[in-house]
Amino acid sequence: MTDPILIEIVEGTLASVEKEVETAIARTARSPMIRDAHDFRAGIHDVRLRKLTGRSYSALVQPIVRDFPIETMKPGDVYFHNDVYLSEGGIGHLPDLCVTVPVFHEGEVVAFVQAFGHHDDIGGAVPGSMPSHARSVFEEGLMVPPIKLWDEGVPNEAALRIMTRNSRMPDSLAGDLDAECSACLMGARRLSELFERYGRQAVEECFDAIISKTTETFRRELLSKIPEGTYVWEDYAEHDGVDEPRLHAQRITLTVDHAADSPLTIDFTGTSPQAKGPINHAGDYADGVFLKKWLAPVLRNLADTPERMAELDVNEGVVPLIKMIFPEKGTLLTPVFPAPTNARTFVILRLLGVLAGVLAKATGGRMPADQETIRYTGVYGTDAEGQPYLMREVLGGGSGGRWYADGEDTIHVVPDSRNIPVEFAEARWPFRVERLALACDSGGPGMFRGGLGYDKHIRMLRDASYMSIADRSILSCWGVNGGLAGRPFRVEIAGKEMEGLVDDHPVQAGEVIRIRTTGGGGWGSPYDRDPRAVAADVRDGKVSIAGALGDYGVVLDGDRIDEQATAELRATLRPPADRFFDRGPGYAKLSGGRSQAAVDEL
């Protein structure tokens, strides 16, 4: 039996090395997206390509060892790729650049340190390499299959020149790549010290134990709470940048069989055909191993307490518990090259919600309501010195209400990521941020309210162009178990409402860009929310007086709750029966007037 103390030491070392790699990247990178917004993450994998750390998701090592046999690798080698269709499902769009460094012990590869993140520009049709109306991956930027970027510590200058030549931000790209390569090499040295201290056999036995613990913990504590049976649900992306807005379905048929080796079967049959525009995600590679690790954090909501949920890591141990069935080639999840993919977040973020929704059906609502926590907004142009600039940030939104608590405000799905600080933005780019606040009334009404999104106002000081890659501008984050949907994403420029997908809308100097990001869905009937909690939300500016009255049926006289009037109003507002799912008014707009989908019925 492996020494449990040594397992703790190895597990702590892995977490420490991963954090040290990420800290080094944050301190030495140059682009705002990496350095300030922290849209990147590191991962540690063993020689069997299994992800050992669980604080964040990461790309895969499979494409590297597929093209470069392990026995040919040498200390100081660094591998690079960003090709979506040659990444085995680990890379979603071309701006996600991935570096991989092998770890050596006594001349043999024993592990891998990897980092991948969203970079400012890798070429393509528009600044930022995310053309919202792309019809082909060739419009989206430079595709690089797995290559050796450093050979025994010597950078491949020719490859670096090609990549930086294709970027509108060559200095930032070069600086970021240098930061990521150097950080991963440092992480590899740290890991090799672990092997030197305890020996390869002992450390690898600890790796096995760490992964096995995750497998057994998820099976025993989480999956056991899902009743056996088959459950179906779907949700939708609303537009693809090419066709008119419509419902692009992502469907999950979940089969639960506790006696099976893989207790959960996730069948994506019924997912819509691949889109003409860039919302596709190439997920059907390596048996869906990336999607298994991407979706598994949703299962943590089944933990007994929020504190226990926070303790559960998602490493390779979740993979054997899930079997995935993909539809034939040519769907949103099985696109055929060269289908564009730069807005694939519309699909993979929606899949998190679809799994939560189907589990809500299975567990009587013991899952959070919906959230939408990634959208890219920004401006680009030339500054006072005539130099080109690009400001793009990932703005989060509110998370869904839960069976025990309200949703969280302005959540970012990438761990440790954040909005760009106002002081930094105003010092670097020609605009002023006149407001950065919580968006009042954006959270879905419920017994437990959805979290709030951002309310951000940007006044341009020079003419520029506005860009956006955002979903949920029509469809809302759904509410569950009687909770109501949150408010959708909305942007106004000079009084004109923008669509969610925009490449180059002109903004004149002096005009204001008003951005409101999504609120999470509500959980439980809003007429069961404690009136004192509603009054507190009004005092905090999270709910307006009109929202308290119309959404919650709470009558306020100043700070005082009129309890009798509230009881009477709630009696008139409460519907005869609560809907289990509430998709909001935008669904009717795209569904031909329907308020619910057939799969919404319990």
Side-chain angles (χ1 to χ4, degrees):
M1 179 178 177
T2 308
D3 182 356
I5 295 177
L6 182 57
I7 294 173
E8 290 290 329
I9 292 172
V10 170
E11 192 169 22
T13 301
L14 292 173
S16 176
V17 170
E18 182 182 71
K19 184 65 175 176
E20 188 175 2
V21 170
E22 292 188 351
T23 300
I25 292 171
R27 287 178 173 175
T28 57
R30 293 191 61 179
S31 72
M33 186 62 74
I34 300 294
R35 183 188 63 202
D36 301 290
H38 283 213
D39 191 1
F40 69 94
R41 61 222 53 95
I44 299 174
H45 307 252
D46 70 3
V47 73
R48 295 163 59 185
L49 317 185
R50 301 179 301 178
K51 187 172 186 293
L52 301 170
T53 47
R55 191 178 61 85
S56 178
Y57 63 96
S58 67
L60 305 177
V61 182
Q62 279 86 339
I64 304 302
V65 301
R66 178 198 65 211
D67 294 355
F68 297 90
I70 287 177
E71 58 271 17
T72 67
M73 297 178 177
K74 300 174 184 177
D77 287 351
V78 179
Y79 299 89
F80 173 90
H81 72 292
N82 77 326
D83 189 317
V84 170
Y85 289 93
L86 294 179
S87 72
E88 300 293 330
I91 297 293
H93 60 180
L94 295 182
D96 282 348
L97 309 184
C98 181
V99 298
T100 305
V101 172
V103 180
F104 285 84
H105 174 66
E106 296 182 350
E108 294 185 328
V109 176
V110 291
F112 296 91
V113 177
Q114 192 175 73
F116 90 113
H118 188 140
H119 292 251
D120 275 342
D121 191 278
I122 192 69
V126 302
S129 307
M130 295 182 68
S132 63
H133 308 302
R135 292 174 176 261
S136 164
V137 71
F138 295 110
E139 300 175 52
E140 298 179 312
L142 181 68
M143 288 180 285
V144 183
I147 63 170
K148 187 183 290 188
L149 191 61
W150 288 33
D151 188 353
E152 294 187 80
V154 180
N156 183 336
E157 297 293 345
L160 288 167
R161 286 187 67 193
I162 291 170
M163 286 189 281
T164 54
R165 179 61 174 168
N166 277 270
S167 174
R168 297 170 178 84
M169 305 290 167
D171 292 339
S172 290
L173 179 60
D176 289 349
L177 285 175
D178 186 63
E180 289 158 352
C181 292
S182 299
C184 286
L185 287 165
M186 177 270 295
R189 293 193 297 270
R190 296 285 189 270
L191 273 186
S192 65
E193 293 169 1
L194 181 69
F195 284 88
E196 290 170 7
R197 185 175 300 123
Y198 298 107
R200 178 171 182 174
Q201 180 178 345
V203 172
E204 289 186 339
E205 287 175 355
C206 291
F207 289 171
D208 291 340
I210 290 167
I211 290 173
S212 295
K213 181 178 72 172
T214 296
T215 303
E216 292 310 308
T217 298
F218 269 67
R219 185 190 296 271
R220 182 182 66 254
E221 292 189 29
L222 306 182
L223 303 191
S224 63
K225 292 184 169 67
I226 312 172
E228 290 193 334
T230 298
Y231 312 91
V232 184
W233 204 62
E234 68 183 26
D235 204 4
Y236 316 93
E238 63 196 26
H239 53 165
D240 71 345
V242 175
D243 287 332
E244 289 297 311
R246 61 183 176 85
L247 299 177
H248 298 265
Q250 292 102 72
R251 173 176 287 207
I252 286 179
T253 299
L254 178 70
T255 300
V256 184
D257 180 359
H258 295 303
D261 291 337
S262 299
L264 297 188
T265 297
I266 297 177
D267 186 347
F268 297 110
T269 302
T271 293
S272 289
Q274 73 182 48
K276 295 177 184 176
I279 66 172
N280 307 289
H281 176 72
D284 58 326
Y285 294 86
D287 297 320
V289 67
F290 174 83
L291 278 180
K292 291 177 183 180
K293 288 179 281 190
W294 170 260
L295 292 175
V298 174
L299 298 169
R300 296 186 302 180
N301 289 285
L302 297 169
D304 288 335
T305 65
E307 292 76 17
R308 179 56 178 156
M309 173 183 172
E311 294 172 351
L312 298 176
D313 280 345
V314 177
N315 57 34
E316 204 77 16
V318 303
V319 170
L321 298 172
I322 303 171
K323 175 184 177 182
M324 286 188 167
I325 299 174
F326 289 93
E328 294 183 358
K329 283 289 188 181
T331 71
L332 291 172
L333 281 174
T334 59
V336 178
F337 179 84
T341 65
N342 74 76
R344 95 291 185 211
T345 51
F346 292 13
V347 168
I348 62 171
L349 285 177
R350 197 68 67 254
L351 286 179
L352 294 173
V354 178
L355 181 57
V358 77
L359 287 170
K361 290 181 71 172
T363 60
R366 201 177 182 276
M367 293 295 290
D370 191 33
Q371 63 181 29
E372 174 69 30
T373 58
I374 287 182
R375 77 273 309 137
Y376 302 92
T377 61
V379 292
Y380 61 91
T382 56
D383 60 22
E385 285 72 43
Q387 297 299 311
Y389 73 88
L390 166 66
M391 187 291 290
R392 181 181 56 186
E393 65 180 330
V394 182
L395 283 176
S399 70
R402 299 156 286 182
W403 56 273
Y404 57 88
D406 293 343
E408 299 288 344
D409 303 323
T410 59
I411 290 295
H412 292 242
V413 72
V414 178
D416 293 333
S417 67
R418 62 202 68 171
N419 65 308
I420 293 177
V422 170
E423 296 81 3
F424 169 82
E426 292 183 337
R428 182 174 182 125
W429 296 304
F431 59 71
R432 286 199 306 267
V433 179
E434 296 188 340
R435 179 176 175 83
L436 181 60
L438 297 177
C440 183
D441 288 333
S442 58
M447 183 168 70
F448 294 109
R449 174 183 44 73
L452 275 59
Y454 283 102
D455 184 19
K456 187 167 188 176
H457 297 179
I458 300 171
R459 186 178 297 276
M460 298 306 304
L461 302 180
R462 294 177 59 84
D463 293 353
S465 295
Y466 166 77
M467 62 191 305
S468 170
I469 299 287
D471 202 19
R472 295 293 197 205
S473 63
I474 301 173
L475 301 174
S476 301
C477 295
W478 43 266
V480 70
N481 204 35
L484 303 184
R487 296 277 183 90
F489 176 74
R490 182 182 178 90
V491 176
E492 287 187 0
I493 299 177
K496 180 180 179 180
E497 186 173 350
M498 297 289 102
E499 296 182 348
L501 285 165
V502 181
D503 281 339
D504 54 2
H505 183 82
V507 188
Q508 304 299 314
E511 291 183 338
V512 177
I513 304 170
R514 292 178 169 84
I515 302 169
R516 184 192 69 201
T517 68
T518 51
W523 193 99
S525 172
Y527 307 119
D528 292 329
R529 184 169 179 80
D530 187 337
R532 291 172 297 180
V534 177
D537 282 342
V538 172
R539 287 195 297 272
D540 293 341
K542 294 187 173 185
V543 173
S544 66
I545 292 177
L549 188 68
D551 294 335
Y552 294 93
V554 174
V555 180
L556 297 175
D557 181 8
D559 290 336
R560 188 182 68 84
I561 301 168
D562 189 328
E563 295 184 4
Q564 181 177 347
T566 294
E568 293 173 352
L569 179 59
R570 285 184 161 186
T572 63
L573 293 176
R574 187 184 295 272
D578 290 324
R579 291 178 183 167
F580 192 74
F581 293 104
D582 178 66
R583 296 184 182 269
Y587 178 74
K589 179 179 179 180
L590 297 183
S591 66
R594 298 192 306 273
S595 61
Q596 287 187 292
V599 294
D600 292 349
E601 298 296 329
L602 296 181

Coordinates of all heavy atoms in Angstrom, one line a residue, residues 474-479 484-486 579 581-589 594-595:
I474 N -30.3 37.0 -26.9 CA -31.7 36.8 -27.1 C -32.2 35.8 -26.0 O -33.1 36.1 -25.3 CB -32.0 36.2 -28.5 CG1 -31.5 37.2 -29.6 CG2 -33.5 36.0 -28.7 CD1 -31.6 36.7 -31.0
L475 N -31.6 34.7 -26.0 CA -32.0 33.7 -25.0 C -31.4 34.0 -23.6 O -30.3 34.5 -23.6 CB -31.5 32.3 -25.4 CG -32.0 31.7 -26.8 CD1 -31.3 30.4 -27.1 CD2 -33.5 31.5 -26.7
S476 N -32.1 33.7 -22.6 CA -31.7 34.0 -21.2 C -31.1 32.8 -20.6 O -31.3 31.7 -21.0 CB -32.8 34.6 -20.4 OG -33.4 35.7 -20.9
C477 N -30.4 33.0 -19.5 CA -30.0 31.9 -18.6 C -31.2 31.4 -17.9 O -31.9 32.1 -17.2 CB -29.0 32.4 -17.6 SG -27.4 32.9 -18.3
W478 N -31.5 30.1 -18.1 CA -32.8 29.6 -17.6 C -32.8 29.4 -16.1 O -31.8 29.2 -15.4 CB -33.1 28.2 -18.2 CG -31.9 27.3 -18.3 CD1 -31.1 27.1 -19.4 CD2 -31.5 26.4 -17.3 NE1 -30.1 26.2 -19.1 CE2 -30.3 25.7 -17.8 CE3 -31.9 26.1 -16.0 CZ2 -29.6 24.7 -17.1 CZ3 -31.2 25.1 -15.3 CH2 -30.1 24.5 -15.8
G479 N -34.1 29.6 -15.5 CA -34.3 29.3 -14.1 C -34.8 27.9 -14.0 O -35.3 27.2 -14.9
L484 N -37.0 31.9 -12.2 CA -37.2 32.6 -13.5 C -35.9 32.9 -14.1 O -34.8 32.9 -13.4 CB -38.0 33.9 -13.3 CG -39.4 33.7 -12.6 CD1 -40.1 35.1 -12.6 CD2 -40.2 32.7 -13.4
A485 N -35.9 33.1 -15.4 CA -34.7 33.3 -16.2 C -34.1 34.7 -15.8 O -34.8 35.6 -15.4 CB -35.0 33.3 -17.7
G486 N -32.8 34.8 -16.0 CA -32.1 36.0 -15.8 C -32.2 36.9 -17.0 O -32.8 36.6 -18.1
R579 N -43.4 26.4 -13.4 CA -42.6 25.6 -14.4 C -41.3 25.1 -13.8 O -40.7 25.9 -13.1 CB -42.3 26.5 -15.6 CG -43.5 26.9 -16.5 CD -43.1 27.9 -17.6 NE -44.2 28.3 -18.4 CZ -44.1 29.3 -19.2 NH1 -42.9 30.0 -19.4 NH2 -45.1 29.7 -19.9
F581 N -38.6 24.5 -15.6 CA -37.6 25.3 -16.3 C -38.3 26.6 -16.9 O -39.4 26.5 -17.4 CB -37.0 24.6 -17.5 CG -36.1 23.4 -17.2 CD1 -36.6 22.1 -17.3 CD2 -34.9 23.6 -16.7 CE1 -35.8 21.0 -17.0 CE2 -34.1 22.5 -16.3 CZ -34.6 21.2 -16.5
D582 N -37.7 27.7 -16.7 CA -38.1 28.9 -17.3 C -37.0 29.5 -18.2 O -35.9 29.8 -17.8 CB -38.5 30.0 -16.3 CG -38.9 31.3 -16.9 OD1 -40.0 31.3 -17.6 OD2 -38.2 32.3 -16.8
R583 N -37.3 29.5 -19.5 CA -36.3 29.9 -20.5 C -36.3 31.4 -20.8 O -35.4 31.9 -21.6 CB -36.5 29.1 -21.8 CG -36.3 27.6 -21.6 CD -36.3 26.9 -22.9 NE -36.2 25.4 -22.8 CZ -35.0 24.8 -22.9 NH1 -33.9 25.5 -23.1 NH2 -35.0 23.5 -22.8
G584 N -37.3 32.1 -20.3 CA -37.3 33.6 -20.6 C -38.0 33.9 -21.9 O -38.3 33.0 -22.7
P585 N -38.3 35.2 -22.1 CA -39.1 35.6 -23.3 C -38.4 35.4 -24.6 O -39.0 35.3 -25.6 CB -39.4 37.1 -23.0 CG -38.3 37.5 -22.1 CD -38.0 36.3 -21.2
G586 N -37.0 35.4 -24.6 CA -36.3 35.2 -25.9 C -36.6 33.9 -26.5 O -36.5 33.8 -27.8
Y587 N -36.9 32.8 -25.7 CA -37.1 31.5 -26.3 C -38.3 31.5 -27.2 O -38.3 30.9 -28.3 CB -37.2 30.5 -25.2 CG -37.5 29.1 -25.8 CD1 -36.5 28.3 -26.4 CD2 -38.8 28.6 -25.7 CE1 -36.8 27.1 -26.9 CE2 -39.1 27.3 -26.2 CZ -38.1 26.6 -26.8 OH -38.4 25.3 -27.3
A588 N -39.3 32.2 -26.8 CA -40.6 32.3 -27.7 C -40.3 32.9 -29.0 O -40.8 32.6 -30.0 CB -41.7 33.0 -26.9
K589 N -39.4 33.9 -29.0 CA -39.0 34.6 -30.2 C -38.4 33.7 -31.2 O -38.6 33.9 -32.4 CB -38.1 35.8 -29.8 CG -37.6 36.6 -31.0 CD -36.7 37.8 -30.6 CE -36.2 38.6 -31.7 NZ -35.3 39.7 -31.3
R594 N -43.4 29.3 -28.8 CA -43.5 28.3 -27.7 C -42.8 28.9 -26.4 O -41.8 29.6 -26.5 CB -42.9 27.0 -28.0 CG -43.6 26.3 -29.2 CD -43.1 24.8 -29.3 NE -41.6 24.7 -29.4 CZ -40.9 24.8 -30.5 NH1 -41.6 25.0 -31.7 NH2 -39.6 24.7 -30.5
S595 N -43.4 28.6 -25.3 CA -42.7 29.0 -24.0 C -41.8 27.9 -23.4 O -41.0 28.2 -22.6 CB -43.8 29.4 -23.0 OG -44.6 28.3 -22.7

